[in-house]
């Protein structure tokens, strides 16, 4: 069973509850009664909307009936903002039928309403919604629903990257308006889409964000879908106990919400789990439940998937006749869906093409209107030209003076810019102070230690000379020489660190010079690490290097490349530190530096990788 296809038809985030919320089953009778007893069109309009949203995941024929009745009523009442919401709900319902062309058309109609300021007056807004007293903000907030449905359409068409772009737009509006509900649905869909793309770590992060926002806001209408998405991630990672837990919770929550689509999807996922764990009886049970729910929902895609799973279960149980029956059912439904989707995909592509032509025509008409306005402006300008010429002449000399002032100001700005660049260099050097101190302290400790040892050896040398012990004198002298060489080595090491930092902070000549890339990378790796450790004692990471000794010295500008290397390593440390804070189990922050030999096309090779 293709998870990508399943996400398109079942687990992709649904718009209806995103807009209206799903009423508990016990309220359904009261909604029907309220519609029957409605005393005015406003009450009838709101009730139709609530009924359409409720039935969106349990009886889509009823949902469509109430939605179309709402469209007719809002058009009659000229309530455009409510009309936009009904259009979006219908767009969602026909999208579930894979009529993407009509879905996109309805979405564009809603977009046209919600981007027009002329509907900010005389519009009825429910009393229990945010921004009720600010129609402009309320209208803007509803755009998140448009972007959400646009993402659903693109996801159904297989354009996953484009779908993510629309969901991210929804998140930006939700963040801007501090609307937490939108962060539940958008993060959920992005997580599901990343799972389809095989990017399981990203999928898990977004799904967890969706679940956290659902719990924090109490917006639990789609908690069942989120639980199922997380379970599917664990199933792909072969973490079967976790997968079973989340699938079970998903089925329970969807049943409480009377969400037939979600419940059917949860049982399909449980069937997959039991198939993977070798339990055909349990697989048959859950696949059959999914098929029954799909029949109630009249969802061809859900019936195709679940009947295929039932066939596999019967085959596994040694019942070939039953297996053939359900396999034939699944194939027939699949063939019908394929033929229908081919036709509707062609309609969708044609509509997109026609929409592009319409936009181009609008743009051309806009250009023609602008050209006409420019022509009128030109003749008007000619009439004023003589007057303006006199004014310009009188101001000419004054502008010359202003120009000279501007030249001086520009010169001052360039000077200030150079000073700022140098200040930034010094600031980055300041951030490395702790790392530099640590790196210099090591060779200085060696210098001090070996100096003290030499002082003691010299005293022993004098004693042995007095005793006339020539052999011991020679041994001690050799030790003193060895220690002196070590002092010289570590002194040069400290000198190299200081020179490197002076190069980092200087403006430099801008000329290339032979430089040991491996040594430069190793130097800045340790400086960055100890600098960050000095600022945050809790910070820790594993550092790995894989240098190619064949690189040798490369002709570069060491100051410039050093700053680039420092920024890359610092960013890598920051990235693994933030990933560690997400609480991922058994995660070990690691930063790798790999230098490879230069190639004719790529130049100097190198990879900085934070894992």
């Amino acid at each position: 069973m293709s998870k990508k296809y399943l996400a398109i038809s079942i687990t992709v985030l649904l718009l209806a509850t995103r807009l209206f919320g799903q009423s508990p089953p016990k309220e359904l009778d009261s909604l029907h009664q309220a519609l029957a007893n409605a005393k005015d069109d406003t009450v009838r309009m709101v009730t139709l909307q609530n009924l359409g949203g409720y039935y969106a995941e349990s009886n889509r024929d009823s949902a469509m009936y109430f939605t179309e009745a709402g469209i007719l009523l809002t058009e009659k009442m000229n309530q455009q903002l409510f009309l936009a919401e009904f259009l979006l709900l219908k767009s969602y319902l026909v999208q579930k039928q894979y009529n993407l062309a009509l879905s996109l058309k309805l979405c564009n109609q809603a977009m046209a309403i919600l981007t027009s300021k002329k509907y900010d007056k005389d519009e009825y807004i429910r009393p229990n919604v945010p921004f009720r007293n600010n129609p402009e903000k309320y209208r803007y907030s509803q755009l998140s629903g448009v972007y959400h449905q646009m993402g659903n359409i693109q996801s159904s068409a297989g354009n996953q990257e484009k779908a993510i772009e629309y969901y991210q737009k929804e998140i930006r509006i939700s963040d801007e308006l501090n609307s937490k509900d939108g962060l539940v649905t958008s993060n959920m869909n992005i997580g599901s889409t990343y799972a389809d793309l095989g990017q399981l770590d990203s999928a898990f992060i977004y799904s967890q964000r969706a679940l956290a926002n659902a719990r924090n806001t109490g917006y639990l209408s789609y908690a069942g879908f989120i639980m199922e998405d997380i379970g599917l991630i664990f199933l792909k990672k072969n973490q079967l106990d976790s997968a079973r837990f989340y699938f079970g919770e998903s089925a329970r929550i969807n049943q409480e919400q009377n969400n037939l689509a979600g419940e059917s999807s949860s049982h399909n996922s449980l069937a997959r789990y039991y198939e993977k764990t070798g339990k055909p009886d349990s697989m048959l049970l859950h696949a059959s439940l999914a098929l029954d729910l799909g029949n109630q929902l009249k969802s061809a895609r859900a019936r195709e998937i679940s009947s295929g799973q039932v066939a596999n279960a019967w085959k596994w149980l040694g019942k070939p006749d039953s297996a053939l029956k359900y396999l034939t059912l699944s194939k027939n439904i699949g063939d019908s869906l394929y033929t229908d989707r081919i036709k509707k995909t062609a309609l969708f592509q044609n509509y997109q093409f026609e929409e592009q032509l319409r936009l181009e025509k609008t743009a051309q008409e806009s250009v023609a209107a602008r050209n006409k306005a420019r022509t009128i402006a030109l003749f008007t300008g000619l009439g004023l030209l003589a007057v303006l010429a006199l004014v310009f002449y009188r101001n000419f000399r004054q502008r010359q003076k202003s120009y000279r002032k501007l030249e001086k100001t520009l010169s001052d700005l360039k000077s200030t810019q150079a000073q700022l660049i140098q200040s930034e260099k010094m600031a980055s050097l300041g951030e490395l102070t702790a790392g530099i101190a640590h790196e210099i302290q090591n060779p200085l400790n060696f210098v001090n230690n070996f100096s003290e040892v030499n002082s003691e050896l010299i005293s022993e040398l004098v004693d042995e000379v007095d005793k006339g012990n020539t052999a011991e004198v020679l041994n001690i002298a050799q030790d003193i020489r060895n220690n002196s060489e070590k002092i010289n080595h570590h002194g040069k090491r400290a000198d190299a660190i200081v020179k490197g930092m002076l190069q980092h902070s200087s403006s430099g000549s801008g000329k290339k010079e032979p430089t040991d890339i491996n040594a430069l990378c190793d130097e800045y790796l340790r400086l960055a690490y100890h600098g960050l450790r000095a600022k945050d004692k809790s910070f820790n990471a594993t550092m790995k290097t894989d240098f190619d000794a064949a690189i040798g010295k490369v002709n570069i500008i060491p100051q410039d490349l050093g700053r680039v290397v420092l920024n890359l390593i610092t960013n890598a440390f920051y990235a693994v530190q933030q990933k560690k804070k997400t609480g991922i189990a058994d995660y070990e922050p690691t930063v790798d530096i790999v230098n490879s030999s230069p190639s004719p096309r790529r130049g100097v090779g190198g990879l900085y990788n934070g894992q």
Side-chain angles (χ1 to χ4, degrees):
M1 178 173 56
S2 170
K3 172 65 175 69
K4 178 177 180 181
Y5 200 82
L6 180 64
I8 291 173
S9 62
I10 297 176
T11 62
V12 168
L13 186 62
L14 311 178
L15 180 65
T17 303
R18 163 71 181 85
L19 290 174
F20 315 113
Q22 185 161 337
S23 305
K26 63 182 180 181
E27 295 183 7
L28 182 58
D29 291 339
S30 61
L31 285 175
H32 280 285
Q33 186 175 359
L35 181 62
N37 299 330
K39 294 181 179 180
D40 58 56
D41 285 343
T42 300
V43 174
R44 189 173 293 105
M45 175 178 65
V46 174
T47 307
L48 286 170
Q49 187 184 62
N50 290 334
L51 284 166
Y54 174 81
Y55 279 116
E57 300 310 330
S58 59
N59 188 327
R60 289 183 180 140
D61 288 342
S62 296
M64 183 65 78
Y65 171 80
F66 291 114
T67 299
E68 290 185 336
I71 290 174
L72 292 174
L73 182 59
T74 50
E75 287 176 341
K76 170 189 169 184
M77 297 171 63
N78 196 28
Q79 288 294 322
Q80 296 297 312
L81 296 185
F82 250 89
L83 174 60
E85 295 183 21
F86 277 114
L87 290 171
L88 285 177
L89 180 53
K90 184 175 180 180
S91 173
Y92 165 70
L93 293 172
V94 298
Q95 173 226 328
K96 303 309 288 184
Q97 300 169 355
Y98 206 75
N99 192 342
L100 302 185
L102 179 56
S103 181
L104 181 58
K105 181 178 180 180
L106 293 166
C107 211
N108 284 333
Q109 290 174 1
M111 172 76 82
I113 293 172
L114 294 173
T115 52
S116 175
K117 293 183 178 181
K118 66 182 180 180
Y119 301 122
D120 289 345
K121 295 181 180 180
D122 301 325
E123 292 288 324
Y124 175 78
I125 301 175
R126 295 182 301 277
N128 59 339
V129 298
F131 315 117
R132 182 181 189 276
N133 298 319
N134 190 333
E136 184 177 2
K137 266 193 174 181
Y138 174 77
R139 176 174 52 79
Y140 180 62
S141 70
Q142 298 309 298
L143 276 176
S144 63
V146 175
Y147 290 131
H148 185 91
Q149 181 57 17
M150 286 288 194
N152 288 347
I153 295 168
Q154 294 299 329
S155 182
S156 295
N159 302 325
Q160 305 294 8
E161 298 293 342
K162 192 68 175 177
I164 290 175
E165 289 181 18
Y166 280 116
Y167 296 138
Q168 292 287 10
K169 288 182 179 180
E170 180 188 8
I171 289 177
R172 283 195 290 273
I173 292 179
S174 297
D175 284 337
E176 184 178 341
L177 299 177
N178 196 28
S179 172
K180 302 301 182 184
D181 289 353
L183 297 178
V184 176
T185 55
S186 49
N187 279 295
M188 173 189 154
N189 261 18
I190 294 175
S192 177
T193 304
Y194 274 128
D196 297 338
L197 295 172
Q199 301 178 29
L200 299 185
D201 289 340
S202 296
F204 185 77
I205 290 172
Y206 277 98
S207 295
Q208 288 286 15
R209 287 179 186 172
L211 188 58
N213 279 294
R215 288 170 174 168
N216 290 338
T217 61
Y219 181 67
L220 300 176
S221 298
Y222 284 94
F225 280 102
I226 301 170
M227 290 285 191
E228 184 186 5
D229 284 344
I230 296 174
L232 289 169
I233 293 170
F234 281 123
L235 189 66
K236 289 182 178 181
K237 290 185 174 183
N238 210 32
Q239 298 179 20
L240 301 180
D241 289 341
S242 296
R244 173 67 183 84
F245 170 78
Y246 279 100
F247 290 152
E249 285 296 289
S250 172
R252 179 184 64 80
I253 293 171
N254 282 323
Q255 186 178 33
E256 291 176 356
Q257 295 286 334
N258 194 33
N259 190 328
L260 299 187
E263 193 177 352
S264 174
S265 180
S266 299
H267 285 295
N268 272 322
S269 293
L270 281 166
R272 289 179 62 186
Y273 164 80
Y274 285 116
E275 181 179 22
K276 191 165 187 175
T277 54
K279 297 179 180 179
D281 289 332
S282 297
M283 177 186 177
L284 178 61
L285 171 64
H286 288 283
S288 298
L289 288 172
L291 180 57
D292 289 341
L293 291 164
N295 287 332
Q296 293 179 49
L297 188 62
K298 298 181 181 178
S299 170
R301 180 56 180 159
R303 292 171 58 223
E304 178 198 9
I305 293 169
S306 52
S307 58
Q309 289 184 321
V310 171
N312 290 337
W314 279 123
K315 180 180 178 181
W316 203 350
L317 290 168
K319 302 288 186 179
D321 292 341
S322 298
L324 179 61
K325 172 185 174 182
Y326 286 97
L327 183 62
T328 302
L329 174 62
S330 177
K331 184 178 183 303
N332 289 340
I333 296 172
D335 290 344
S336 176
L337 282 174
Y338 178 77
T339 303
D340 185 57
R341 290 202 168 197
I342 289 294
K343 294 178 181 178
K344 290 179 178 178
T345 298
L347 289 174
F348 177 62
Q349 293 172 343
N350 288 338
Y351 177 77
Q352 285 188 310
F353 179 71
E354 290 171 0
E355 183 67 10
Q356 184 63 34
L357 290 178
R358 185 187 67 81
L359 292 174
E360 290 178 359
K361 182 179 179 181
T362 301
Q364 291 172 356
E365 291 173 351
S366 177
V367 169
R370 286 197 299 270
N371 288 338
K372 182 177 179 180
R374 286 172 186 160
T375 302
I376 295 172
L378 176 62
F379 284 106
T380 304
L382 289 173
L384 298 174
L385 186 59
V387 176
L388 292 175
L390 178 62
V391 174
F392 289 155
Y393 177 76
R394 292 180 61 184
N395 292 332
F396 176 72
R397 301 184 70 179
Q398 181 64 33
R399 274 189 284 178
Q400 283 185 317
K401 295 178 182 179
S402 299
Y403 179 73
R404 285 192 291 269
K405 290 181 181 180
L406 287 173
E407 283 187 324
K408 183 178 183 303
T409 301
L410 180 59
S411 176
D412 293 342
L413 284 173
K414 289 181 178 179
S415 175
T416 303
Q417 184 183 36
Q419 294 173 7
L420 285 173
I421 292 172
Q422 185 64 17
S423 297
E424 289 177 1
K425 295 177 185 177
M426 297 305 295
S428 64
L429 184 62
E431 292 179 358
L432 293 178
T433 299
I436 297 169
H438 183 277
E439 290 299 300
I440 292 179
Q441 187 63 45
N442 287 336
L444 289 180
N445 286 340
F446 281 112
V447 170
N448 291 335
N449 291 339
F450 285 122
S451 296
E452 291 175 2
V453 172
N454 273 1
S455 296
E456 295 174 0
L457 289 175
I458 290 172
S459 298
E460 292 178 12
L461 180 66
V462 172
D463 292 340
E464 296 300 329
V465 169
D466 291 340
K467 294 176 183 179
N469 192 348
T470 306
E472 187 62 27
V473 167
L474 292 175
N475 288 335
I476 294 173
Q478 183 61 40
D479 289 341
I480 293 173
R481 174 182 294 174
N482 292 339
N483 290 344
S484 297
E485 290 175 353
K486 293 176 181 178
I487 290 171
N488 181 54
H489 170 75
H490 290 292
K492 288 181 178 179
R493 169 67 180 152
D495 179 64
I497 292 172
V498 172
K499 286 181 178 178
M501 293 308 99
L502 289 175
Q503 282 185 335
H504 178 83
S505 61
S506 66
S507 59
S509 62
K511 295 182 179 180
K512 296 182 179 180
E513 56 185 79
T515 304
D516 188 338
I517 294 290
N518 293 338
L520 185 143
C521 292
D522 185 63
E523 185 78 33
Y524 282 102
L525 174 64
R526 286 183 283 106
L527 290 176
Y529 175 77
H530 291 299
L532 290 173
R533 282 275 298 167
K535 291 194 294 183
D536 183 359
K537 297 298 183 184
S538 65
F539 170 73
N540 199 5
T542 301
M543 297 180 291
K544 295 181 181 179
T545 58
D546 184 8
F547 296 144
D548 186 352
I551 291 180
K553 292 189 176 182
V554 182
N555 205 28
I556 60 171
I557 303 173
Q559 300 96 322
D560 293 349
L561 186 59
R563 282 188 286 274
V564 173
V565 170
L566 177 60
N567 286 336
L568 288 173
I569 295 175
T570 301
N571 289 341
F573 278 132
Y574 176 78
V576 299
Q577 183 185 24
Q578 294 302 308
K579 188 173 181 181
K580 178 69 174 177
K581 290 179 179 179
T582 61
I584 298 175
D586 301 326
Y587 172 68
E588 180 67 28
T590 304
V591 173
D592 296 337
I593 299 185
V594 180
N595 281 351
S596 57
S597 299
S599 66
R601 293 181 62 185
R602 292 175 56 202
V604 178
L607 172 63
Y608 300 84
N609 184 23
Q611 298 179 343

